[in-house]
Amino acid sequence: MKKLLFSILCASPSLLFAQGSQVNLQSPKAVGMGGAGSAYFLDESSIFYSPGALAKMDHNAISVAGNAVMYKSAFQEIGSTVVYHTKNQVTPPFSVFAALGPKSSWWKAGIGIYTPYGGAVDWGKEWIGKFSLVSLSLRAIYIQPTLSIKLTDNFSIGGGFVYNIGTVDLENSVPVFYPDGHAGLATLKGTGTGTGYNVGIHYNLDNDFALSLSYRSKVVTKLKDGDAIFEVPGAVASNFPAGNKFSAELPLPSTFAAGIAFPISEKLKMAVDATVIDYDIYKELNFDYKENTPVLQDTRSPKNYTKAGSIKAGIEYIASEKVQLRVGGGYIATPVAKDYVYPETPDNNRYLISGGFTVKPSSKFDITGSFAYQRIIARQATNVDSHLSGIYKTNIFAPGIGVSYKW
């Protein structure tokens, strides 16, 4: 029982770090182009994608966007014909960006509130891996005030301070049983905070050809005094103290991104983005429990993630002054080795395709829609802690919509 409980408590925040939880849906315009466009779009979402581009806006603007991320995963244990499926769950990442400053000036300021990490998954209490995970909901909300300065007509820089608020809500079955045969349940809930920064530069040769570089720092989120709640039979309740607390540090990785934008024709534009994400800072996960017992000890779990990256490209077709159409795709590499795959996010290399549109009812309003689909390559894995062994198949669907107002 001690080994199984160790696996339960160490597995909990893994989703926060894998590619499955780095939602990258901050702008529906960029999503429509496969997540590319950091060098192409000169709008308020540059606060996230490329702070250096913000100063090149010739107007002020505010935008609000939201998505409905649907995570569909299936698991088949080795040697079994039974296939388990996750329940329908919708995660609503959002973004709010505002850019303010003198029109066509040498500077622009802004603020962004967005969710770069998060996810939700529910396997239920009856599947074979219930002692590794029943359900999990995670979210990291970043608040980023930003300042951007135009050094020349072609070259600008920018940066912002990041404050993160992260939440986790986890349920796992515990291998202790009531008289009717159903297992106990562990619930971990907590909120943490962390700080970081986002900086970038933007350079354009003309109105269509542009280059962008940006760096988003790691953010070490510190969870303190989270709630550890156990529903177990009375005969073993002394091993699971009521009102117990836990603390942990969760390092959200840094990201280096480079983008290029160029025209194919007068109405057809293309953007390409590449990223490198320093997941290798996530070597292990440690939990410190306020009250220990012979069963519930402070834990240390190896993760051994590696650096990962992605390449994304998209095309925008300017159908008219009021309508733009977009399509894109990409390839995203996983940081997770096969021995460290958990059911929160059975991560593997994946392919992405997307599309989108913008309609302009007036010169001040934009309405943008997007849809992204990610297919994670099927993966056979045996977890080093729980020894859960099987094949995972996962798909992610993410429709989104955004509205912007400029003046």
Side-chain angles (χ1 to χ4, degrees):
M1 182 173 70
K2 182 176 178 180
K3 176 62 177 175
L4 284 173
L5 186 59
F6 175 89
S7 299
I8 289 168
L9 296 174
C10 287
S12 57
S14 297
L15 176 61
L16 198 59
F17 304 97
Q19 291 277 17
S21 66
Q22 194 179 60
V23 291
N24 287 330
L25 300 172
Q26 284 68 37
S27 165
K29 292 180 181 178
V31 172
M33 296 178 70
S38 62
Y40 180 55
F41 295 111
L42 303 180
D43 61 21
E44 58 278 11
S45 69
S46 297
I47 291 170
F48 170 77
Y49 288 100
S50 181
L54 193 68
K56 294 182 178 179
M57 290 178 61
D58 59 2
H59 58 276
N60 297 323
I62 184 170
S63 65
V64 179
N67 297 267
V69 178
M70 292 164 280
Y71 177 93
K72 306 283 188 179
S73 193
F75 176 82
Q76 183 176 354
E77 189 179 19
I78 298 299
S80 172
T81 60
V82 178
V83 179
Y84 301 91
H85 296 270
T86 55
K87 297 181 179 181
N88 291 330
Q89 286 273 69
V90 176
T91 302
F94 67 91
S95 64
V96 179
F97 295 108
L100 299 170
K103 292 184 178 180
S104 302
S105 178
W106 57 271
W107 67 274
K108 189 77 71 175
I111 189 168
I113 304 172
Y114 54 90
T115 51
Y117 293 93
V121 61
D122 187 349
W123 287 94
K125 299 176 182 178
E126 304 301 325
W127 82 294
I128 191 67
K130 61 181 178 289
F131 297 120
S132 292
L133 182 71
V134 170
S135 66
L136 178 65
S137 176
L138 289 160
R139 175 171 290 184
I141 301 174
Y142 280 21
I143 302 170
Q144 181 190 322
T146 300
L147 178 65
S148 181
I149 298 172
K150 189 189 298 183
L151 300 179
T152 71
D153 289 340
N154 302 95
F155 184 73
S156 57
I157 61 174
F161 168 79
V162 169
Y163 180 76
N164 170 46
I165 303 172
T167 62
V168 58
D169 189 341
L170 162 81
E171 288 187 336
N172 286 90
S173 292
V174 179
V176 294
F177 300 91
Y178 289 87
D180 64 1
H182 80 274
L185 186 69
T187 302
L188 297 180
K189 296 181 178 180
T191 300
T193 60
T195 59
Y197 58 89
N198 184 359
V199 295
I201 62 175
H202 190 273
Y203 178 78
N204 62 282
L205 292 179
D206 50 42
N207 291 332
D208 291 316
F209 184 88
L211 299 171
S212 172
L213 296 175
S214 65
Y215 179 79
R216 296 187 286 276
S217 76
K218 71 176 181 180
V219 176
V220 178
T221 301
K222 297 182 178 181
L223 284 169
K224 294 183 178 180
D225 294 327
D227 295 319
I229 305 166
F230 298 94
E231 300 174 27
V232 296
V236 296
S238 61
N239 287 319
F240 305 90
N244 206 1
K245 302 289 184 178
F246 72 93
S247 300
E249 289 191 359
L250 311 176
L252 304 178
S254 62
T255 300
F256 175 77
I260 184 172
F262 54 90
I264 298 175
S265 68
E266 183 179 352
K267 291 192 172 184
L268 205 60
K269 317 296 180 181
M270 186 169 187
V272 180
D273 279 28
T275 61
V276 176
I277 307 172
D278 290 328
Y279 284 110
D280 57 344
I281 66 169
Y282 189 38
K283 295 300 184 184
E284 63 182 16
L285 178 63
N286 302 324
F287 278 83
D288 180 13
Y289 299 96
K290 186 175 182 179
E291 191 172 350
N292 299 120
T293 72
V295 169
L296 186 60
Q297 296 292 312
D298 295 339
T299 56
R300 175 176 294 178
S301 178
K303 299 300 176 182
N304 295 323
Y305 279 23
T306 61
K307 289 182 185 291
S310 66
I311 183 73
K312 302 171 183 178
I315 294 174
E316 180 181 69
Y317 174 66
I318 304 173
S320 68
E321 291 184 357
K322 293 189 175 183
V323 178
Q324 289 92 47
L325 305 175
R326 304 180 185 95
V327 65
Y331 178 80
I332 306 167
T334 180
V336 183
K338 66 177 182 179
D339 293 337
Y340 300 96
V341 173
Y342 287 90
E344 301 94 287
T345 174
D347 205 54
N348 200 8
N349 300 328
R350 63 185 67 190
Y351 297 96
L352 161 71
I353 58 173
S354 68
F357 66 89
T358 293
V359 176
K360 299 179 179 179
S362 72
S363 60
K364 294 184 179 294
F365 280 99
D366 289 356
I367 301 173
T368 300
S370 64
F371 182 84
Y373 166 71
Q374 293 187 29
R375 181 173 181 81
I376 301 177
I377 299 171
R379 187 168 204 182
Q380 181 175 328
T382 299
N383 184 269
V384 69
D385 282 330
S386 68
H387 305 295
L388 183 65
S389 182
I391 300 172
Y392 294 93
K393 295 181 179 180
T394 305
N395 297 286
I396 301 174
F397 306 86
I401 190 168
V403 178
S404 65
Y405 174 76
K406 55 188 177 182
W407 67 97

